[in-house]
Amino acid sequence: MEETPTAAPTPPRTHIPWRLLALFYDLWPVMALWFLTAVPFMLVDVAIHGDVRHNIEPFSLMQWLLWLTCWAVAGIYATWSWRRGGQTLGMRPWRIRLVTADGAAPGWGDLWRRYLVGTASLLLGGIGFFWAWFDRDRLAWHDRASNTRVVREPKRP
């Protein structure tokens, strides 16, 4: 008799609270990167206005450029971390990893699509994240859009 090869068991899907905890944990390194990103903008603003007590004007071109740059820096942090090892700093303590639907490492296009849809979801009050509570596969909008999954790794012995 010929034995049929059994497929490797798929890692369990990650519970939504762990995903939210990882997102909260990742907020801290991203905020540090934002502080560093803001320094050149503040220096340029001081050079323009000659006053260190002057803030960047709300809704000015400088402020929009700062926000766009901060968004890009956060995207570089996330996509680079996911591409490098499937995890951001916030995902490591809960042993969760980002993979494609077939278990492979996602490509750059998938990662940036995930980041874009995740951003849109956050701007809409997080509805795309909370969608996972009702999704049959427990996938958020950005999971579906990028064909990625967040899985939980087993404990190491």
Side-chain angles (χ1 to χ4, degrees), residues 4-12 101-103:
T4 57
T6 57
T10 57
D102 61 359

Side-chain angles (χ1 to χ4, degrees), residues 5 15 18-19 23 30-31 43-44 53-54 61 67 80 85 93 97 109 113-114 121 135 143 145-146 152 157:
H15 292 292
W18 285 329
R19 294 174 72 163
L23 187 64
V30 168
M31 282 180 57
L43 293 174
V44 167
R53 296 173 294 165
H54 184 271
L61 177 62
W67 279 110
W80 184 76
R97 180 175 303 281
R113 190 174 317 106
R114 178 182 179 81
S121 173
D135 187 88
D143 296 324
S146 62
R152 185 128 197 254

Side-chain angles (χ1 to χ4, degrees), residues 4-128:
T4 57
T6 57
T10 57
R13 294 270 195 298
T14 302
H15 292 292
I16 296 162
W18 285 329
R19 294 174 72 163
L20 294 174
L21 284 170
L23 187 64
F24 178 73
Y25 190 112
D26 278 324
L27 176 65
W28 304 108
V30 168
M31 282 180 57
L33 291 170
W34 287 347
F35 282 124
L36 292 173
T37 301
V39 169
F41 286 88
M42 295 303 295
L43 293 174
V44 167
D45 193 61
V46 167
I48 291 170
H49 293 96
D51 185 4
V52 290
R53 296 173 294 165
H54 184 271
N55 290 328
I56 296 175
E57 294 293 326
F59 303 107
S60 67
L61 177 62
M62 181 77 81
Q63 187 187 47
W64 285 106
L65 289 174
L66 174 58
W67 279 110
L68 182 63
T69 305
C70 286
W71 177 81
V73 165
I76 291 167
Y77 162 77
T79 58
W80 184 76
S81 296
W82 291 327
R83 182 70 178 158
R84 191 174 130 259
Q87 295 175 306
T88 60
L89 289 174
M91 296 167 83
R92 291 179 185 177
W94 289 277
R95 300 183 331 269
I96 55 179
R97 180 175 303 281
L98 182 70
V99 295
T100 60
D102 61 359
W108 287 109
D110 295 332
L111 296 175
W112 278 103
R113 190 174 317 106
R114 178 182 179 81
Y115 184 68
L116 287 169
V117 174
T119 299
S121 173
L122 282 175
L123 291 174
L124 293 170
I127 193 168

